[in-house]
Structure formats: structure tokens, C-alpha cells
Amino acid sequence: MKSLLFRLAALAAPASSTFVVQCTSRLFDQRADPVIDPGSASSHVHTISGGSNFNFSMTFEDARASKCTTCNIKQDLSNYWSPKLYYHAQDGSFQDVPIIGDNNGGNLGGMAIYYLTRGGPDNDKLRAFPPGFRMVAGDSSKRSETDDFAGRAVTHKCVGGASNGPDPKHLPNETCDQIRVQVTFPSCWDGKNMDSENHKSHVSYPKDGNYDGGRCPSTHPVHLATLFYEVYYDTKGFKNKWYGDKQPFVFANGDATGYGYHGDFLNGWDESALQKGLDKCVDGVANCAEQVFGTFNTQSETQACKLPSMIEEPVTGSLKALPGCNEVTYGPSPATSPKNCASPRLLSAITPQMAGYVDVTGKGYKYIGCGKDNANSRSLVDELLTGDDMTVEKCIDFCKGKKKSYAGIEYGSQCYCGNSLASDRAPAKGLNCLMKCGGNKDQTCGGADAISLYQACSGGACTNAVKRQSRKLLSLDMAMAKTAM
């Protein structure tokens, strides 16, 4: 069944969309941006979707080496990200606003990425994004309205509000069930540079027509697909928390206007697959994406693709300040970069396959890895314990008390026990047991259709099958020095 996010997205889909990359989940919310701030923490928090090899610095080859993606099209291992939205309370604190689809299990809400076929009045052939290509749309420091194409490319929609007019460029100043934030990227390329110093000069909006369709300028003659990001924030729970004469929401970059919303794109496509999609998926072709790309990743697979935090700082819940020391600004002057902000500590990169587990060898059980599970056919079927206070130790104690050889924790709150494990359910690479345990957020308890497996020790040494990866803390200076080497 499709998530609410994409049922809403379908209603808002532009008429000439070719296909939609449905990112039904996200890797994490993190102060990371390998395009703008490579090798260090970025200035503000982003919601990040796409391939699992995302890191502070990365190449096209890194993206293509991803083991999973939070998006549905298997040939696309790109990364897509944009600033996170917060509620600014009257006492000065901040509360993260959930994306439609989020729940207590983790970052299960995502974004929709429309790939639009708009070759302009000359019906230009669209070029697939080349290897190494990346770009940014929008301006994080912007705090006032402009009517150029770049200004028109950022809009907001109040879903469930009283007004029915055009989508404003600013954050809606009325209570809404959801706020849909959206940004359209430039679609004209200079044909030479994969990036530029400001991450924008190598691309351009059309010179005429509209920002999302028109004739490319001679300086940027190569027509690309038009990317259109769409994220639904669930603001219904804040309807009774408004105060004063301004709307209470602010993006992670301190932007209380909405004019500074932006998006980043780092290409990770199989180039031939994307080119085939752009060639074949034209207006009026039904089910084209299925015909071109074949079998999609399931929602369970995309929601199981998660990464552990790379920075030691809270970015969700109730916060005293926006991460990165971003001050709330209302314009009209552009915002300036934060000064004298203490550097956070970076955690060494941890791959999904080497995610943290709990050493319970003292209880007579060893960790054997992350295995595949299925709601219709469980890997461990003898005993079940559920609860929002689940921890690894609680599950181990339960299964040990039942005298079971295997214990498995799934979806943050479910503990399964059994005396046998089928060979096709044994731990395997490419699975992601990164969902936080309900009773201890420092532990991981499986994922969606992925189960953290522990086995009772019998004779000899009781040794975990996967060596715990170091979580050595690095200062920003050390991380940047390493990047510069």
C-alpha cells in the first residue's frame, strides 16, 4: 500500500512529469552536505534521502557503491537533501516537525523527486546527468522575495488551510494540516563542468518561457531533466501552538521566511538507465517507469535503508537552539553565517553492515548479524515479546528464559525467539538493522523486514561474529585535515 506521502504527492504531480523517484524514507537528519561543505559538518541540518554511501565527502563512484537506497528506483543511487523544518516555540526552544510518514520507528517519511520532460519550445533532446554531476537550487541566505526564475522555483503549499490561491514563495501565514515545500532545479547545463565554485554557475534556468520549461541560453545549451523536489511536513499537531503575529515555523538554516529554502542533488544514476527513462517516458505514456526500470525497491526495503548518526549532537526533539548556532532571521536582508559556534564532534563513518550492536556475551549470547525477515513468514516463530521499552538485553533475557537458541529484535520493539534459523534467513550483507530500540536510543533493534540476530553460545569461546567498528570521535579540524591530505 502506498504511503500517505505519495498519495498526497500523486494529487500534486505536475501534468508533464515523466516519472517520480519515490523516496519513501530517508537515511537520517544530519548536519552534512558533501556539495556545499565537503569534509566537515554543514552549517545546518538536512533531511537526506537516497544511496547509503552518503558521507561528508563523496564521489560519483562512492554513490554508485551504495548497498541500498531510500528511494524506489534501483538504478538510482543519487542523494537528495533539503533543510529540515522546526517549530519555534514561544519560550525560544525548537521542536522538529515530522515529515508525513514519520512515526516512533524512525525517519520513515521521505520526499518525492519528479523528473520532468520539458525540452522547451524546440523540443530539445534531454541529456542524462553525467557521472560526477551535482548542483544546488535555491539560496540558503535569501530572506526576501524576488520574481526571477530562481525566486519562482521555491514555493510552499498550505494543505488543509483556508486560502485557495497560488502557492506562495514564503512559508504560509495560516494554520495548515501539512506544509508542502517544493523547489525546482535549473535544467540547462554548460555541457562541460560537473560542478562550479558556487555549485550553480554550471547550470541555468531557461532564458525564456518559465523556470520549469523554456529555451536554454547559449551559455548553457545542454537540456537536462527538470528536477522538482517535494516534501510534506506534518504541521497539524502545531495548530494550537501559534502565538504572536508571525507563523511559528523556521527552517534549519534559521529561515523563518521560506525564501531561503533550497535543495542539493548529487548524481548516482546508472547513466544509460536514466537516459532510457528520459527517452521513453514522454507525456501520455502510461506506466512508463515500470516498463523502463523494471522491478522497484519495495517500501520495506527503502525504509530499512538507514545510516547511524555521523555527528554527536541532537537534531530532533526539543532543542534549546538550532544546530549550528543558526539565528532565526526574518529578512529582508540576507542572513549571514553563524560566528563563534563550537565545532561538533564527528563520529567515524560506520557502514550499515557494521552498525552497532550490544555485547551480550556475558549473558551467553553472541551477535551473529542482520538477517532478513518477513511479516508473513517469520524467521523465529516460537516466542514473541513486544513493547515500546524494548532493549537488546530485555529480548535476550526473555529468550534465554524460554530456553531458546536464537533471539532476534526487529522494528525497534519486537523480540522473537526460536530454536532454528533457516539458511535463507541467515545474516547477509546489504541488510540494515539500524532502527533505534524503543527502550534505549543508543542501541539498534533491527529494521523493517530486517532482524538483529543473537545466538546462544555453546562450548568454546563466545565471540560476536562482527567486530565492533570503532566510534572514535574526530574533531572538525582533524576531519578537515584528513580531507585535505
Side-chain angles (χ1 to χ4, degrees), residues 8-20 114-119 167 180 182 184 210-213 226 228 230 281-288:
L8 291 169
L11 297 176
S16 60
S17 62
T18 57
F19 58 87
V20 184
Y114 294 91
Y115 279 70
L116 309 178
T117 298
R118 293 182 177 173
D167 296 346
R180 189 181 77 214
Q182 46 213 26
T184 302
N210 201 2
Y211 63 89
D212 58 355
T226 300
F228 174 78
E230 185 177 74
C281 293
V282 295
D283 294 348
V285 177
N287 302 317
C288 181

Side-chain angles (χ1 to χ4, degrees), residues 76 83 92 101 114-115 146 159 174 183 210 220-221 239 259 280 386 418:
D76 179 22
Y114 294 91
Y115 279 70
T146 60
V159 180
E174 62 175 314
V183 58
N210 201 2
H220 297 77
K239 276 189 169 183
Y259 299 126
K280 300 293 185 181
T386 63

Side-chain angles (χ1 to χ4, degrees), residues 260-480:
Y261 187 70
H262 54 281
D264 294 59
F265 168 69
L266 193 149
N267 180 35
W269 271 96
D270 176 324
E271 187 176 7
S272 61
L274 176 56
Q275 189 63 61
K276 185 177 180 181
L278 298 178
D279 291 343
K280 300 293 185 181
C281 293
V282 295
D283 294 348
V285 177
N287 302 317
C288 181
E290 289 84 350
Q291 297 175 34
V292 171
F293 301 116
T295 304
F296 291 162
N297 292 317
T298 66
Q299 186 165 313
S300 294
E301 289 171 329
T302 61
Q303 292 185 343
C305 192
K306 293 280 183 280
L307 290 179
S309 177
M310 300 193 302
I311 300 178
E312 192 178 51
E313 69 175 356
V315 298
T316 59
S318 181
L319 307 174
K320 293 182 179 180
L322 290 173
C325 307
N326 290 280
E327 295 184 3
V328 179
T329 52
Y330 298 89
S333 299
T336 57
S337 300
K339 296 180 180 179
N340 302 319
C341 186
S343 298
R345 295 199 296 175
L346 306 187
L347 299 170
S348 57
I350 303 174
T351 66
Q353 293 74 30
M354 299 290 286
Y357 58 92
V358 177
D359 185 355
V360 288
T361 53
K363 294 179 178 288
Y365 281 72
K366 60 186 178 182
Y367 177 74
I368 61 173
C370 181
K372 186 176 182 180
D373 201 9
N374 188 294
N376 298 317
S377 176
R378 292 295 181 188
S379 299
L380 303 175
V381 298
D382 293 353
E383 302 287 347
L384 169 64
L385 176 68
T386 63
D388 292 335
D389 59 346
M390 184 60 63
T391 65
V392 172
E393 295 90 346
K394 184 172 184 176
C395 181
I396 296 298
D397 289 341
F398 174 73
C399 293
K400 186 176 182 179
K402 298 293 184 178
K403 302 185 184 304
K404 298 300 177 181
S405 301
Y406 292 92
I409 311 99
E410 184 170 350
Y411 215 69
S413 61
Q414 303 167 4
C415 172
Y416 297 90
C417 314
N419 279 325
S420 62
L421 182 69
S423 59
D424 64 344
R425 298 301 178 90
K429 294 182 178 180
L431 300 174
N432 292 287
C433 293
L434 291 171
M435 193 168 286
K436 295 179 180 180
C437 299
N440 186 339
K441 299 302 182 183
D442 291 329
Q443 298 181 358
T444 55
C445 285
D449 289 344
I451 186 167
S452 298
L453 291 168
Y454 294 79
Q455 183 180 13
C457 303
S458 58
C462 189
T463 306
N464 295 308
V466 182
K467 184 178 180 181
R468 182 188 296 274
Q469 181 164 337
S470 170
R471 291 178 65 88
K472 180 181 178 182
L473 296 174
L474 303 173
S475 69
L476 274 179
D477 291 340
M478 291 172 63
M480 294 180 72

Side-chain angles (χ1 to χ4, degrees), residues 97-161:
V97 179
I99 291 175
I100 292 292
D102 282 355
N103 60 26
N104 293 330
N107 300 325
L108 300 184
M111 63 198 309
I113 315 296
Y114 294 91
Y115 279 70
L116 309 178
T117 298
R118 293 182 177 173
D122 301 325
N123 196 28
D124 297 336
K125 177 180 173 62
L126 299 185
R127 166 76 155 85
F129 298 121
F133 184 85
R134 56 189 68 190
M135 63 176 168
V136 173
D139 182 349
S140 180
S141 66
K142 191 175 183 180
R143 296 294 184 270
S144 61
E145 182 173 348
T146 60
D147 198 41
D148 56 353
F149 281 179
R152 297 182 201 174
V154 173
T155 56
H156 306 76
K157 173 70 174 179
C158 179
V159 180

